[in-house]
Amino acid sequence: MMECVLRADRVLIDGHLVPASVGIAGGQIAHIDALDADHSAAQDIRLPPDAVLLPGFVDTHVHINDPGTDWEGFASATAAAAAGGITTLVDMPLDSDPVTTSVSALNLKRSAAEGNCVVDIGFWGGVVPDNLDRLASLVRAGVRGFKCFLADSGNPDFGHLSPAQFRAAMARIADLDSLLLVHAESHAVIDAGPRPVGRSYRSFLASRPDAAEEDAVGLVVETARETGARAHIVHVSSAHVVPLLAAAKADGVAVTAETCPHYLTFDAETVPDGGTEFAVCPPIRDGANRELLWSALADGTLDLVVSDHSPCAPRDKAAGDFGRAFGGISSLQLGPRAAWTEAARRGFGMAEVSRWMSQRPAALAGYADRGRIALGLRADLCAFDPDAHETVHAGALRHRHPVSPYEGVSLRGAVLQTWVAGVPALTRIGEPV
């Protein structure tokens, strides 16, 4: 007998919404059948007519910042993820203490996570100038791949790579048959430019120009071509890099790229002076740029959408001073709904959003057992009402700190329930288990 059967008028299977029943046994999808198929199960759950049964979302770009900070934590991050329909997180290696650049640091992070997570967790390792000899041991210890910076990370314990160091790192990544995620902004371009000043968002935007992304992405593409290593560009904000990525892909270079809900939602024209909750690196650019990012998602030049959830304590947003504010946006719980809100306005459907936020992130991190609803895969699932609307109140979110640029924004969609390996991760009233 199966543990559970979920029945819904709309189940996303092979890119189509169809009526179906989905049977769960041993944490896996054991049956996919007609909506009214006769199955014996301990629980037989009929989802509301408005609900769509989706694969759980996978967010491969999350700064949980645990252990060693008060900025987030595994308990609050995974509770926020479950409330957002996200069933797998992959944690970034910096802004925890210690940073995840050695096996001993990875083990400390795993210890911090143990017993504190209501969704599944994976880890990226870090590449810094002095740890190339530790990458193989991190692979053996189970990291999903690696992350590096080509500009100042803001963390003195996580140094950025020079172009020569980056080439050496990519050669090592190729030898290991691993993956290198790259924060692709050029240190040289940023260092030569102006510094952000006071409350002016325009000065913050000028301090991290499109050219910084263009220069860095050019280096990544060139090095991936030379070494054969797999590279992934994180948080693309500038549409100026889209032609570089498109040409590389056409040539068969092993490079992929992501963008984030905040780049697909907001625009520089409406970021207020003093609005340091919008401060993020690279920055939110103008509305025309945003539409070009949507076009790049539509044609496959950009592969996926992830949150880059990078929270901090309210004090680190520096009371509206862009010259001192920490650059990061808190949005983990809201990512799928924010992306769906903007996607629906542009005529995209749930199938596209699921491909961008479930299937492709799972593939990026090497999870062959999730990201789709198919026989034998993990029963990581989300019941989602695509037509609900809700105004965001940051203080009601599961994130540790109530700081978000989405405060007061009306978003479309609601998560009704999340299952992680067939086990509910929310109670009936939407609170984490």
Side-chain angles (χ1 to χ4, degrees), residues 23 54 74 88 122 126 138 157 186 235 251 262 273 297 314 319 348 350 401 414:
L54 301 171
F74 286 102
T88 300
L138 280 161
D157 295 326
S186 165
H235 51 46
D251 289 345
H262 41 272
D273 283 346
L297 271 175
F348 298 106
M350 290 304 314
H401 298 295

Side-chain angles (χ1 to χ4, degrees), residues 266-314:
F266 301 115
D267 59 69
E269 294 91 332
T270 55
V271 175
D273 283 346
T276 48
E277 66 273 19
F278 291 87
V280 62
C281 303
I284 294 165
R285 304 190 190 276
D286 63 40
N289 178 90
R290 177 189 59 205
E291 298 312 311
L292 291 171
L293 295 180
W294 276 107
S295 296
L297 271 175
D299 68 22
T301 305
L302 294 177
D303 298 272
L304 52 103
V305 180
V306 288
S307 69
D308 187 13
H309 177 66
S310 189
C312 65

Side-chain angles (χ1 to χ4, degrees), residues 84-234:
I86 300 163
T87 51
T88 300
L89 301 179
V90 188
D91 175 61
M92 282 293 172
L94 73 158
D95 294 332
S96 56
D97 185 13
V99 295
T100 318
T101 54
S102 67
V103 172
S104 60
L106 175 65
N107 289 337
L108 286 172
K109 183 165 280 193
R110 282 181 167 147
S111 294
E114 188 174 0
N116 291 313
C117 299
V118 294
V119 304
D120 203 34
I121 292 284
F123 302 96
W124 300 115
V127 179
V128 292
D130 62 355
N131 82 326
L132 291 191
D133 60 345
R134 300 181 208 151
L135 302 191
S137 61
L138 280 161
V139 169
R140 291 192 295 270
V143 297
R144 313 302 303 187
F146 295 92
K147 166 77 176 292
C148 74
F149 279 71
L150 295 179
D152 184 3
S153 73
N155 185 332
D157 295 326
F158 202 98
H160 71 278
L161 303 182
S162 69
Q165 290 166 338
F166 176 70
R167 292 185 177 96
M170 284 284 276
R172 188 66 58 88
I173 292 295
D175 290 342
L176 294 170
D177 192 25
S178 190
L179 169 71
L180 186 55
L181 282 65
V182 186
H183 181 120
E185 290 184 286
S186 165
H187 178 76
V189 172
I190 293 172
D191 194 51
R195 297 293 180 266
V197 177
R199 296 176 57 81
S200 170
Y201 182 71
R202 193 174 293 271
S203 77
F204 180 75
L205 186 59
S207 74
R208 307 190 87 95
D210 296 273
E213 287 189 71
E214 289 181 272
D215 185 69
V217 170
L219 174 64
V220 175
V221 168
E222 172 191 344
T223 309
R225 192 190 304 273
E226 292 171 352
T227 62
R230 291 183 294 143
H232 178 74
I233 310 296
V234 298

